[in-house]
Amino acid sequence: MLLALPIPAAAQQSCAPHDIVVEHLHKTFGERAIWSGLAAPGALYELFASPHGSWTIVQLQPNGTACVMAIGEASEILSLMITIIPGGENI
């Protein structure tokens, strides 16, 4: 296992099975997944955030390995409304 916990403030890439990363982010920082999106070639990116403003971006590989790509604090929600138009422009 490659994940060194806790994740330091100056984020270095840390990887572990997805369920371990999710559990660590929730138990340690109070973060939960609030967004996910697919990227080529098959990686899934997830944004985790807490009510206290901390956030983490995780890259999930097809083999189930999750790697912390970035961390931060003092986040804010800019918009709660987005309309997804299949095959069209997103607004």
Side-chain angles (χ1 to χ4, degrees):
M1 185 179 315
L2 302 174
L3 187 64
L5 305 176
I7 300 165
Q12 60 183 13
Q13 190 172 6
S14 298
C15 301
H18 184 257
D19 57 336
I20 291 174
V21 173
V22 170
E23 181 179 357
H24 171 71
L25 292 175
H26 180 64
K27 286 185 175 180
T28 306
F29 304 108
E31 294 181 1
R32 293 189 181 271
I34 62 167
W35 174 89
S36 67
L38 289 174
L44 176 76
Y45 284 86
E46 296 176 301
L47 173 59
F48 291 79
S50 79
H52 310 290
S54 68
W55 58 267
T56 304
I57 296 174
V58 172
Q59 181 189 55
L60 177 59
Q61 295 296 324
N63 68 3
T65 299
C67 297
V68 173
M69 305 304 286
I71 61 173
E73 55 188 46
S75 63
E76 64 180 285
I77 302 290
L78 300 177
S79 175
L80 292 175
M81 302 279 301
I82 185 169
T83 302
I84 305 296
I85 303 169
E89 187 174 318
N90 295 331
I91 300 170

